[in-house]
């Protein structure tokens, strides 16, 4: 479980880390864990861990920035509305966004929501649920459908699509909105 009353995704981390040290008989380490979550502490620790891990490889070091860059590239994949609109207007995206358009809170919120949904789609349902996502009845079927399609198992695609259609026909609004 990664969710608690904290506004941070990893807010429960200090509790889990302290419990880990207690289970392993390391009370002194457990007592050094602050129970109030400080994102800077976790960020610094993660930086050191990734740096230490990457030092094992001959091709250089890796930083958290590398992971952020990769995740943002995956989040953008398949959609770049500014680029498409700019191209249609025979402009570069940079010229369009700096000289002709501006993003209000509503556009920024929509961008954030789209990024969240793209990242969510990349996670298996059980992992997304650990981060607070509430599973809908059709989510596992959609995941099975995507898996069957990716391996070109067309009979499985048909079978899962029929099950998904039956769920939608049953009147489940959550299934209709997702599918």
């Amino acid at each position: 479980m990664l969710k608690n009353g904290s506004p941070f995704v990893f807010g429960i981390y200090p509790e889990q880390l302290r419990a880990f040290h207690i289970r392993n008989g390391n009370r002194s380490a457990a007592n050094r864990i602050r129970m109030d979550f400080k994102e800077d502490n976790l960020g610094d620790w993660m930086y050191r861990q990734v740096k230490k891990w990457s030092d094992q490889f001959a091709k250089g070091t890796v930083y958290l920035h590398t992971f952020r860059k990769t995740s943002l590239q995956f989040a953008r994949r398949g959609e770049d509305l500014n680029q498409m609109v700019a191209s249609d207007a025979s402009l570069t995206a940079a010229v369009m966004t700096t000289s002709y358009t501006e993003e209000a809170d509503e556009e920024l919120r929509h961008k954030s929501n789209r990024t969240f949904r793209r990242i969510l789609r990349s996670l298996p349902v059980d992992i997304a649920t650990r981060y607070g996502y509430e599973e809908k009845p059709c989510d596992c079927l959609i995941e099975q459908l995507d898996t069957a399609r990716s391996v070109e198992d067309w009979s499985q695609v048909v079978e899962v699509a029929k099950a998904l259609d039956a769920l939608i026909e049953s009147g489940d609004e959550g299934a209709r909105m997702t599918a």
Side-chain angles (χ1 to χ4, degrees), residues 14-150:
E15 297 168 37
Q16 293 175 330
L17 186 57
R18 182 176 276 185
F20 169 80
H21 286 307
I22 290 171
R23 275 193 314 274
N24 289 303
N26 194 348
R27 285 227 173 253
S28 64
N31 290 335
R32 288 191 307 267
I33 305 298
R34 294 173 57 141
M35 291 311 287
D36 59 323
F37 178 76
K38 298 289 184 199
E39 66 274 15
D40 289 344
N41 291 343
L42 180 61
D44 290 344
W45 176 83
M46 286 181 67
Y47 172 86
R48 287 189 307 273
Q49 292 303 110
V50 168
K51 175 90 173 72
K52 182 177 162 185
W53 167 77
S54 72
D55 285 344
Q56 301 173 45
F57 303 102
K59 291 191 175 187
T61 57
V62 176
Y63 297 96
L64 287 176
H65 174 77
T66 308
F67 291 106
R68 182 173 192 242
K69 179 181 176 186
T70 302
S71 67
L72 288 172
Q73 287 171 334
F74 279 121
R76 282 191 59 222
R77 188 162 289 153
E79 180 182 342
D80 194 347
L81 188 58
N82 280 343
Q83 186 59 47
M84 291 180 347
V85 171
S87 177
D88 291 345
S90 298
L91 300 168
T92 66
V95 168
M96 183 186 78
T97 56
T98 57
S99 302
Y100 295 102
T101 63
E102 63 182 51
E103 293 181 329
D105 286 345
E106 185 175 351
E107 285 93 7
L108 293 172
R109 189 170 38 259
H110 286 300
K111 281 174 106 174
S112 174
N113 288 344
R114 286 192 306 269
T115 298
F116 172 77
R117 285 191 297 273
R118 284 191 293 272
I119 292 169
L120 184 63
R121 282 192 301 267
S122 74
L123 298 173
V125 174
D126 61 324
I127 301 296
T129 302
R130 283 192 232 160
Y131 286 100
Y133 176 73
E134 293 185 23
E135 181 179 355
K136 295 176 204 70
C138 63
D139 287 348
C140 286
L141 286 173
I142 291 172
E143 196 171 302
Q144 290 172 18
L145 184 66
D146 288 343
T147 301
R149 183 192 46 79
S150 71

